Amino acid sequence: MSRKGILAVVSGFSGAGKGTLMKALLSEHADQYALSISATTRGPREGEVDGREYFFKTKEQFEQMIEDGELIEHACYVGNYYGTPKSYVMEQLEAGKNVILEIEIQGALNVKKKFPDTLLLFVTPPSAQELEHRLRGRGTETDEVIRSRLKRAVEEAEFMDHYDYILVNDDLETCVQEMHELIQAQRHKTSQNQEFIAEMKEDLKQF
Amino acid sequence: MSRKGILAVVSGFSGAGKGTLMKALLSEHADQYALSISATTRGPREGEVDGREYFFKTKEQFEQMIEDGELIEHACYVGNYYGTPKSYVMEQLEAGKNVILEIEIQGALNVKKKFPDTLLLFVTPPSAQELEHRLRGRGTETDEVIRSRLKRAVEEAEFMDHYDYILVNDDLETCVQEMHELIQAQRHKTSQNQEFIAEMKEDLKQF
């Protein structure tokens, strides 16, 4: 039975460890996953490569993509556009790869509206204390930035209920394993097996 | 975090191998699962023990149980009542055990109506041909019985879409593993983590 891949959206608090989690998942199961690459109008940061971290676009190019329906979702943050190019995602799903989008909550909910089978995953540290601890532990942010991230987490927490599953990232390896199993499990979803069900119904009629 | 167990209902075609599957799942993960025992008014068959295969009840006792709301679901087949006693199921779920009900489609849909978080699993052989092959392979049934089971499968197939997940029982060990992972995955469901979410929201407010 050839199956399409699963479309999963991962969101979560800044400091929940989404990035590390994604990297570990993709390196452990490289043949089964594709990480979607976003398009953005913000300029590349040092070390960022076009087509690897992001597809870097001009405002005009980006707005053309919106107009042409080439984006699954898009949003504006701090004056820049961010969006998910549709063609790459569709190609990978057709090829049987699970595609993971790491996007913000509003984008996540928009994807779910367009593609109801999308698996919405919310990644969180085991506690608010641990979230603060991790944000401070990075040692790279000012107190002000940390406080603004924590304030934002308060707002984001209000949307946790809109997600299908909550993944507590306590131990990285455990969380990677759980995320993989969760996504694998979706391959058995009734909505993912419509072809099989139709065939079964048809073949049973011979009796 | 103490969590309640998952309530899962397993249905599927006669000949799909549900019984063997359940036995394997429970023997491999005895500490995590409890198989619900049904109450029935049909008489015990040779070798059946009250409280093991079934709780054997008189018609009067059974109807009293219905009246007292002691059953999660019940149905009537070939003149006998069958039902799922509520107290045992609730106790096991509270104790963190996953409870599996192996029941017919109508009962399954009734349980889902009462307990929307119930996981509905439909077990099927990989093909209609394989289903026939397995039914004949048992060598214990008359041709007439086999034909009536296959006819029933045609009707049952119409309800596959009402189930959450379809499990193809091709290789037993694979299927047991898949079922276990599916059920484990449900522990991350948002609806199963309401306490955690509430705590997180509350604790984040301190920042």
Side-chain angles (χ1 to χ4, degrees):
Chain A
M1 196 172 4
S2 82
R3 289 200 232 214
K4 279 193 196 178
I6 304 297
L7 180 59
V9 169
V10 175
S11 308
F13 307 124
S14 169
K18 296 186 298 291
T20 320
L21 201 54
M22 297 294 92
K23 256 185 220 155
L25 183 72
L26 266 85
S27 84
E28 286 177 30
H29 309 278
D31 53 325
Q32 294 175 61
Y33 290 94
L35 190 62
S36 160
I37 300 161
S38 297
T40 182
T41 56
R42 85 148 164 76
R45 289 181 193 148
E46 212 187 309
E48 286 184 344
V49 175
D50 184 48
R52 193 179 70 187
E53 280 79 13
Y54 286 98
F55 294 110
F56 296 102
K57 302 285 175 188
T58 64
K59 189 161 171 284
E60 291 67 35
Q61 287 173 326
F62 200 102
E63 288 174 348
Q64 190 63 50
M65 289 175 83
I66 299 175
E67 202 174 308
D68 295 347
E70 288 176 19
L71 299 169
I72 289 181
E73 56 82 39
H74 70 277
C76 206
Y77 300 108
V78 212
N80 282 307
Y81 282 124
Y82 293 80
T84 305
K86 194 195 263 174
S87 55
Y88 176 78
V89 170
M90 293 306 152
E91 276 165 28
Q92 298 295 319
L93 290 175
E94 284 295 334
K97 293 235 182 187
N98 303 316
V99 178
I100 313 220
L101 313 181
E102 189 194 327
I103 49 180
E104 305 291 325
I105 290 171
Q106 215 45 61
L109 301 183
N110 285 339
V111 173
K112 182 86 171 181
K113 234 182 264 169
K114 262 194 203 165
F115 305 99
D117 279 343
T118 306
L119 183 67
L120 293 190
L121 305 177
F122 195 95
V123 179
T124 169
S127 70
Q129 288 67 32
E130 176 62 19
L131 178 64
E132 190 198 11
H133 179 72
R134 286 189 198 172
L135 285 173
R136 295 205 183 280
R138 287 178 176 179
T140 56
E141 318 283 3
T142 64
D143 198 62
E144 197 189 349
V145 168
I146 290 169
R147 293 197 69 78
S148 90
R149 294 227 162 124
L150 286 168
K151 288 273 176 236
R152 188 154 168 205
V154 176
E155 293 161 30
E156 289 175 335
E158 293 303 319
F159 290 92
M160 285 172 85
D161 277 322
H162 291 77
Y163 283 71
D164 298 311
Y165 294 91
I166 307 292
L167 277 173
V168 176
N169 186 9
D170 193 354
D171 171 66
L172 178 73
E173 256 321 299
T174 307
C175 194
V176 169
Q177 178 68 13
E178 288 175 345
M179 186 179 278
H180 180 59
E181 284 180 15
L182 245 176
I183 292 170
Q184 288 298 107
Q186 303 314 308
R187 295 185 168 250
H188 304 292
K189 265 205 133 176
T190 305
S191 54
Q192 291 278 334
N193 290 278
Q194 289 302 309
E195 248 177 71
F196 173 79
I197 293 174
E199 227 170 81
M200 190 57 129
K201 284 183 186 173
E202 194 49 41
D203 289 351
L204 279 170
K205 281 182 192 151
Q206 70 184 283
F207 299 118
Chain B
M1 195 172 7
S2 83
R3 291 199 230 215
K4 280 193 196 177
I6 304 296
L7 180 60
V9 169
V10 175
S11 308
F13 307 125
S14 169
K18 296 186 298 291
T20 319
L21 201 54
M22 297 292 94
K23 255 185 220 156
L25 183 72
L26 267 85
S27 84
E28 286 176 30
H29 309 278
D31 53 326
Q32 295 176 60
Y33 289 93
L35 190 64
S36 160
I37 299 161
S38 297
T40 183
T41 57
R42 86 150 163 74
R45 291 181 191 148
E46 213 187 308
E48 287 184 341
V49 174
D50 184 47
R52 193 179 69 186
E53 279 78 14
Y54 287 98
F55 295 111
F56 295 103
K57 302 284 175 190
T58 65
K59 190 161 170 283
E60 291 67 33
Q61 288 172 324
F62 200 101
E63 287 173 347
Q64 191 63 50
M65 289 175 84
I66 298 175
E67 203 175 305
D68 297 345
E70 288 176 20
L71 299 169
I72 289 182
E73 57 81 39
H74 69 276
C76 206
Y77 301 107
V78 210
N80 282 307
Y81 282 123
Y82 293 81
T84 306
K86 195 195 265 176
S87 55
Y88 176 78
V89 170
M90 293 305 154
E91 277 164 28
Q92 298 295 320
L93 289 176
E94 284 295 333
K97 293 235 184 188
N98 304 317
V99 179
I100 313 224
L101 313 181
E102 189 194 327
I103 49 180
E104 305 290 323
I105 290 170
Q106 214 47 58
L109 300 183
N110 286 339
V111 173
K112 181 86 173 182
K113 234 183 261 169
K114 262 195 203 164
F115 304 99
D117 278 343
T118 306
L119 183 66
L120 294 189
L121 305 178
F122 195 95
V123 178
T124 169
S127 69
Q129 287 67 31
E130 177 62 19
L131 178 64
E132 191 197 11
H133 179 74
R134 287 190 197 171
L135 285 172
R136 295 207 183 279
R138 287 176 174 180
T140 55
E141 318 283 2
T142 63
D143 198 62
E144 197 187 350
V145 168
I146 290 170
R147 293 197 68 79
S148 90
R149 296 227 161 125
L150 286 169
K151 289 272 177 235
R152 186 151 169 210
V154 176
E155 292 162 29
E156 288 174 336
E158 293 302 319
F159 289 91
M160 286 172 85
D161 277 322
H162 291 77
Y163 282 72
D164 297 312
Y165 294 91
I166 306 293
L167 277 172
V168 176
N169 186 8
D170 192 355
D171 171 65
L172 179 71
E173 257 320 300
T174 308
C175 195
V176 169
Q177 178 68 11
E178 288 175 345
M179 186 180 275
H180 180 58
E181 284 182 12
L182 245 176
I183 293 169
Q184 287 298 106
Q186 304 313 308
R187 294 186 168 248
H188 304 292
K189 263 204 137 177
T190 306
S191 53
Q192 291 279 332
N193 290 278
Q194 289 301 308
E195 248 178 71
F196 173 79
I197 293 174
E199 227 172 79
M200 189 57 127
K201 283 183 186 173
E202 196 49 40
D203 289 351
L204 279 170
K205 281 183 190 147
Q206 70 183 282
F207 299 117

